[in-house]
Each structure stands twice: as C-alpha cells, then as structure tokens.
Amino acid sequence: MEIEKYVEIRKNYLEDSVYTQLLKWVENDVIYTDAEVTREGRSMVDYDTRKTKEKLLINDGRERNYTTIFWYNFLCSCFVASTKSYYQKNNFPMAPIDEDLDLSVLKYKEAFYFKPHVDHGPSTPRTLSYIYVLNDDYEGGHLQFFFPKIKDSTKTIKVEKNCLIIFPSNMLFPHAVTPVTKGVRYSVVGWMR
C-alpha cells in the first residue's frame, strides 16, 4: 500500500478574490499568541517542540469578532466539502462528518518551526488533518512527512500559496514544519474529530 497517496494536495483551493481577502486578514488584522502543544490533557507553550504564533478560530460563543467568526464558518464549510470528496476518492466509508472543526491560523516567523509530530492523541482524538497554505513568499518552512517502512521515508511537500493538504491524523502520518529561514509563513490548520 502506498501510504503517501493519502496525502492529498489541492492547488488553487479558493477563488482568487476570496483567497486575497483571507490572506490580507491574517497578515494585517489577526492578533497572534504563542502556540501551545497538548500533553497529557494539558495545553502548554513548549519551544522545544513548536515555535510559532497562533490564532484559534472558534464559533462557540466566546469569540466576539465577527470577521473571525465569518472565516471560521467559511473555512469549516470548505474543509467539510473537501472531506466528502476525499472520502469518496479514497473509497473510505462515509463516516459521520463532524462539521465543528478545530481551526487555527499559524504564523511562522524566521527561525519558527514545528518538530515531527502526529495530530491524533489520547487528549486530542482526531480523524483528518488539514493544512491550508496561504503564502509561499518565504524560505524554509517546508512541510515534511516521515513515512515508516518506505525507502526514502522523509518526503518534503512543495507547498504553494492557496493550496490545501488533507491527510489522516493518525500515527502513520508524522509530519513537521522545518524552520523558516527568511520571511513569514502563514497557514490555516484544522482537524476533524
């Protein structure tokens, strides 16, 4: 089985006008905080594992910014539609799709990274992962997958602006973001439970 075929890349994901507005918002209007990792059910900042800035996108009644709520709802609907076609393409049984996704906007400045990890864990049960790449005018910041039992187990994904990457969140898909060496890398990440 070619496990890497389950990492799907969709180029030119959003219409140009929508993509441009989203990028403008994340570059100019979003207020970021240090990104956290979850260990044993606790969230914490851990620069040994992950150094990036983050803005959680939520619509659970706590968020007061209508633009944030709009982008959360819009991106959830896009990712859910992509999930359905991803399941069909890969002949996965159509399990119930959770339309209330966990989403975050990430900002990787120079020397920021995320070491190898998987997205599913006991305190973060997840089925599918999404990485929506917003820009490509930076250096470094490569997305890498580490496929076990494959001759060249490290696969670097050439990401372009406005592309969506979908893959299972489980232990077969460890991945990382290498340190950014120049510029700023923006992305939206999400997970379906």
Side-chain angles (χ1 to χ4, degrees):
M1 176 171 79
E2 294 180 35
I3 194 166
E4 61 189 284
K5 80 174 192 170
Y6 296 106
V7 176
E8 183 175 302
I9 301 170
R10 297 183 179 192
K11 296 181 179 183
N12 300 312
Y13 186 64
L14 296 179
E15 292 180 22
D16 285 342
S17 61
V18 176
Y19 157 76
T20 300
Q21 289 299 312
L22 176 57
L23 181 60
K24 180 180 174 186
W25 178 66
V26 302
E27 287 179 328
N28 301 316
D29 300 329
V30 171
I31 298 170
Y32 296 91
T33 60
D34 288 334
E36 298 180 338
V37 295
T38 303
R39 289 216 170 70
E40 299 174 10
R42 285 186 40 233
S43 292
M44 65 184 78
V45 174
D46 176 6
Y47 290 142
D48 289 334
T49 303
R50 178 184 196 191
K51 188 173 184 185
T52 186
K53 297 290 186 179
E54 174 180 51
K55 167 63 178 163
L56 296 173
L57 300 182
I58 57 175
N59 185 13
D60 65 358
R62 291 179 290 163
E63 180 62 59
R64 298 291 179 229
N65 183 300
Y66 290 121
T67 304
T68 301
I69 293 169
F70 167 80
W71 283 117
Y72 171 82
N73 289 331
F74 177 80
L75 290 167
C76 276
S77 69
C78 293
F79 291 178
V80 165
S82 296
T83 299
K84 292 175 183 176
S85 64
Y86 177 84
Y87 278 5
Q88 291 168 346
K89 177 184 173 195
N90 290 296
N91 295 316
F92 291 164
M94 276 305 261
I97 294 177
D98 182 356
E99 296 189 15
D100 183 26
L101 304 176
D102 296 327
L103 298 179
S104 290
V105 180
L106 300 182
K107 179 180 182 179
Y108 289 85
K109 299 190 292 187
E110 288 184 27
F112 282 26
Y113 56 85
F114 198 162
K115 290 188 177 174
H117 65 282
V118 293
D119 292 337
H120 174 82
S123 59
T124 54
R126 296 167 173 162
T127 305
L128 279 181
S129 296
Y130 311 85
I131 300 173
Y132 176 52
V133 180
L134 291 169
N135 66 319
D136 57 10
D137 56 345
Y138 57 88
E139 294 176 14
H142 302 293
L143 175 61
Q144 293 183 321
F145 282 89
F146 305 92
F147 297 113
K149 298 184 179 181
I150 293 178
K151 184 179 178 184
D152 298 318
S153 66
T154 302
K155 179 164 178 89
T156 300
I157 304 291
K158 172 63 176 151
V159 293
E160 299 173 8
K161 66 180 181 180
N162 194 18
C163 86
L164 177 70
I165 301 145
I166 305 174
F167 56 95
S169 303
N170 65 46
M171 65 185 175
L172 297 175
F173 296 86
H175 56 285
V177 175
T178 64
V180 171
T181 58
K182 184 178 181 183
V184 179
R185 177 188 195 270
Y186 292 99
S187 60
V188 176
V189 295
W191 307 274
M192 186 176 68
R193 292 180 224 127

